[in-house]
């Protein structure tokens, strides 16, 4: 099974490289890019609808010349992401 998938992957890579080498004009490059973007979008499915981030600053640390803000936000409803934001004075 591993050899089967490895060979499929190698064949796809060969096909992709051949397509890239065949590109001669800007129009062909743009067409390739658009096809690749459509393929990626199809693979991932529809984008989730936009929702409020509900960002909150949970802590501020003052330093000489800058401050660090600890932030939490919801990338999706109920899915919290944290970050440190460095802000110069």
């Amino acid at each position: 099974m591993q050899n089967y998938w490895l060979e499929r992957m190698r064949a796809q890579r060969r096909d992709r490289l051949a397509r890239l080498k065949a590109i001669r004009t800007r129009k062909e490059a743009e067409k390739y890019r658009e096809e690749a973007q459509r393929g990626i979008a199809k693979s991932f499915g529809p984008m989730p609808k936009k929702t409020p981030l509900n960002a909150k600053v949970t802590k501020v640390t003052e330093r000489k010349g800058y401050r660090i803000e600890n932030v939490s936000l919801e990338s999706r409803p109920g899915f919290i992401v944290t970050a440190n934001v460095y802000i110069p004075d």
Side-chain angles (χ1 to χ4, degrees), residues 1-2 9 13 16 19 22 26 35 40 43 46 48 51 54-55 61 63-64 66-67 71-72 77-78 81 83:
M1 183 59 75
Q2 180 178 351
M9 185 179 67
R13 183 172 187 272
R16 179 178 169 271
R19 282 192 68 197
R26 180 183 182 119
E35 289 172 1
I40 291 168
S43 295
T51 59
N54 300 320
T61 304
R63 298 284 168 90
K64 186 177 180 180
Y66 68 99
R67 70 181 184 277
V71 179
S72 68
V81 177

Side-chain angles (χ1 to χ4, degrees), residues 21-34:
K21 285 181 182 180
I23 294 173
R24 298 285 181 249
T25 66
R26 180 183 182 119
K27 187 173 181 177
E28 290 172 346
E30 289 170 349
K31 181 181 176 190
Y32 175 83
R33 184 191 66 209
E34 290 167 5

Side-chain angles (χ1 to χ4, degrees), residues 5-21 32:
W5 288 108
L6 187 58
E7 183 49 40
R8 279 196 60 183
M9 185 179 67
R10 286 178 177 156
Q12 287 178 345
R13 183 172 187 272
R14 283 191 301 268
D15 292 347
R16 179 178 169 271
L17 289 175
R19 282 192 68 197
L20 289 173
K21 285 181 182 180
Y32 175 83

